[in-house]
């Protein structure tokens, strides 16, 4: 299963309609174009499911890295966010998992940078990172509840 059940159901319906139209002896050009456009839109609307295994592997990589201070706090928050997606019993989209991966990769990349600037503005970075993780978690929850946060 590569796509969310909702997006795949829309695609299957459009495919069914296209097959029905193909076999319709009274098919008009207008109807054919409409059915074709619907099938293309449904295909383009397929939403890929997350690769939870690669997300889990990145979580393990972050866990295996030694962090201190602010960087450790940020790593713990990013790991908790990613693990919430890994353990979620429902569908998690590729976009949502990529958000979690980006946070984990940011933690890895900023580990040495955070240590170097913790005395001057590490607290501000920690607050910013915490806010980003909280926002990402909120968006994940809203998406699971069916609230769109993307520009349509």
């Amino acid at each position: 299963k590569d796509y969310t059940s909702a997006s795949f159901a829309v695609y299957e319906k459009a495919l069914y309609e296209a097959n029905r139209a193909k076999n319709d002896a009274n098919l008009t050009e207008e109807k054919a174009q409409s059915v074709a456009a619907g099938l293309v839109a449904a295909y383009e609307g397929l939403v890929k499911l997350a690769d939870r295994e690669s997300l889990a592997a990145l979580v393990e990589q972050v866990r295996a890295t030694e962090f201190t201070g602010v960087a450790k706090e940020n790593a713990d928050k990013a790991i908790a966010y990613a693990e919430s997606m890994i353990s979620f019993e429902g569908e998690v989209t590729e976009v949502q998992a990529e958000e979690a991966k980006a946070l984990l990769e940011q933690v890895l990349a900023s580990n040495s940078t955070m240590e170097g600037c913790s005395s001057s503005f590490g607290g501000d970075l920690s607050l910013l990172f915490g806010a980003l993780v909280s926002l990402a978690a909120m968006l994940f929850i809203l998406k699971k509840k069916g609230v769109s946060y993307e520009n349509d």
Side-chain angles (χ1 to χ4, degrees):
K1 186 174 173 184
D2 295 329
Y3 302 100
T4 63
S5 56
S7 70
F8 195 73
V10 169
Y11 176 73
E12 281 185 314
K13 183 176 187 236
L15 188 59
Y16 171 79
E17 292 299 325
N19 283 324
R20 255 185 59 188
K22 179 178 78 171
N23 297 323
D24 184 355
N26 300 319
L27 181 65
T28 65
E29 179 68 28
E30 183 180 318
K31 178 69 174 172
Q33 288 178 356
S34 173
V35 169
L39 183 58
V40 168
Y43 176 78
E44 290 173 348
L46 286 170
V47 178
K48 286 189 76 73
L49 289 171
D51 175 4
R52 294 183 197 211
E53 290 177 9
S54 68
L55 182 56
L58 189 53
V59 165
E60 290 310 312
Q61 182 182 352
V62 172
R63 274 207 176 123
T65 304
E66 188 172 327
F67 297 97
T68 59
V70 172
K72 178 160 179 31
E73 293 173 25
N74 292 339
D76 290 344
K77 290 175 186 175
I79 288 170
Y81 176 59
E83 285 182 332
S84 71
M85 287 189 192
I86 294 166
S87 64
F88 185 69
E89 291 183 19
E91 295 178 328
V92 176
T93 68
E94 182 177 62
V95 170
Q96 293 165 326
E98 290 302 319
E99 292 169 354
K101 286 180 184 179
L103 290 172
L104 292 166
E105 289 166 353
Q106 183 179 2
V107 166
L108 288 171
S110 65
N111 188 25
S112 61
T113 304
M114 291 292 279
E115 287 305 309
C117 41
S118 62
S119 61
S120 59
F121 50 38
D124 291 339
L125 289 175
S126 178
L127 289 175
L128 176 61
F129 190 82
L132 287 173
V133 170
S134 296
L135 176 62
M138 179 182 69
L139 293 175
F140 176 70
I141 291 166
L142 288 173
K143 188 72 169 180
K144 290 290 110 199
K145 290 184 176 185
V147 177
S148 177
Y149 60 89
E150 299 173 0
N151 292 334
D152 293 327

